[in-house]
Amino acid sequence: MIDLWFAVIAFLWTGYFVLEGFDFGVGLLAPFISKNEREHQQALQTIGPVWDGNEVWLITAVGAMFAAFPAWYAGMFSTFYLPVVLVLVGLIVRGVGLEWRSKLASPRLADLGIVVGSALPAFLWGAIFADVLRLNPILGGLFSLAVSVLHGAVFLTLKTTGDVRRRARVAALGASAVVVPLGAVALSSIGSAPALVAMAALAAAVALVWRRREGWAFAATAGAIVLTSVSVFWTLRTTPLPGLTLAEAASGPYTLNVLTWIGLAVLPFVMVYQGWTYWVFRKRIAVA
């Protein structure tokens, strides 16, 4: 049960990084690839139906940590109390900006909130997990931020039309000039086989963007994030925090058994519902 729930938590964090990754990227890029208000709305509409649902993965991952591994939860979120608070502030500011932007006479303040609220979590999650792995947190944060920008740019090429799509492609190619060298350093620091494959996936994404294969490029950036997350949690599988083993961090057998039944009832429903949401809103967004 201990290994099962560690795998579930790793899966939930991975889903969060993949789905919120392009949310963060779109939020960061929208003001810079838009030349007018209609194009700005076009870019933000690509994440409008899904961004709040994507945050559910974070809530579920943290909740599962609290229930299945309370010592891991307590140690991690107390050690990184300030960065986690800044992440929450960023998510709140971003959410307020997205919800209130259309209701304001001048959306500039909302746009600033969206950019800052996207940049903070994108950087800080990478810094936090790099620190847990005893790697350079600044490098981890910059890599996470750059990957989010690339992931979001590729998502925009997949979901928009016209000038926004063209500029998003240019942004993706520009971001790749930062992501690839950062990835070479950051992923080599982890040193696992999935990390090396993640580097190959990032390189493949760049080539696919260049060839205008947006769907495959998005799959490649998502795959790179998945493989990076697998590398992180594979490294943490026995010692999730320094001086704390996974067995020491875990709840008792009865609690884990109850959690398993709850998970079997809830997780499939959440995944099917979110998959249905993406299917309904799968079409490209054109300028209104």
Side-chain angles (χ1 to χ4, degrees), residues 59-284:
I59 297 169
T60 309
V62 173
M65 285 179 66
F66 172 78
F69 300 98
W72 182 19
Y73 167 89
M76 182 168 176
F77 289 101
S78 60
T79 301
F80 300 102
Y81 179 80
L82 180 58
V84 170
V85 168
L86 291 175
V87 166
L88 294 177
V89 169
L91 293 177
I92 292 169
V93 169
R94 183 188 67 148
V96 171
L98 288 168
E99 292 291 342
W100 282 90
R101 187 179 188 279
S102 61
K103 300 174 177 63
L104 299 174
S106 175
R108 291 183 179 179
L109 187 60
D111 292 338
L112 177 61
I114 294 169
V115 171
V116 174
S118 299
L120 274 176
F123 176 84
L124 289 171
W125 283 129
I128 288 169
F129 278 95
D131 200 300
V132 171
L133 294 177
R134 299 183 180 181
L135 303 177
N136 186 324
I138 301 299
L139 175 63
L142 290 175
F143 175 63
S144 177
L145 180 63
V147 169
S148 293
V149 172
L150 175 61
H151 196 39
V154 173
F155 182 75
L156 284 167
T157 67
L158 185 63
K159 291 289 292 180
T160 59
T161 61
D163 289 338
V164 170
R165 180 186 179 189
R166 177 180 57 80
R167 295 188 201 109
R169 178 176 177 269
V170 173
L173 293 172
S176 67
V178 178
V179 172
V180 171
L182 275 177
V185 177
L187 294 172
S188 63
S189 300
I190 300 176
S192 65
L196 298 178
V197 181
M199 187 64 244
L202 286 175
V206 176
L208 290 163
V209 170
W210 183 261
R211 296 184 61 186
R212 292 180 168 83
R213 302 294 297 272
E214 290 96 345
W216 285 108
F218 183 74
T221 55
I225 295 172
V226 169
L227 290 164
T228 302
S229 183
V230 168
S231 300
V232 169
F233 284 98
W234 181 257
T235 304
L236 299 177
R237 69 191 186 281
T238 55
T239 310
L241 286 175
L244 181 70
T245 67
L246 196 62
E248 292 170 341
S251 295
Y254 177 78
T255 301
L256 294 178
N257 281 327
V258 172
L259 284 175
T260 300
W261 287 108
I262 295 173
L264 287 173
V266 174
L267 285 179
F269 171 77
V270 172
M271 294 177 64
V272 169
Y273 173 77
Q274 191 154 32
W276 176 78
T277 302
Y278 277 96
W279 176 256
V280 169
F281 295 102
R282 66 189 182 278
K283 293 183 179 180
R284 290 183 183 270

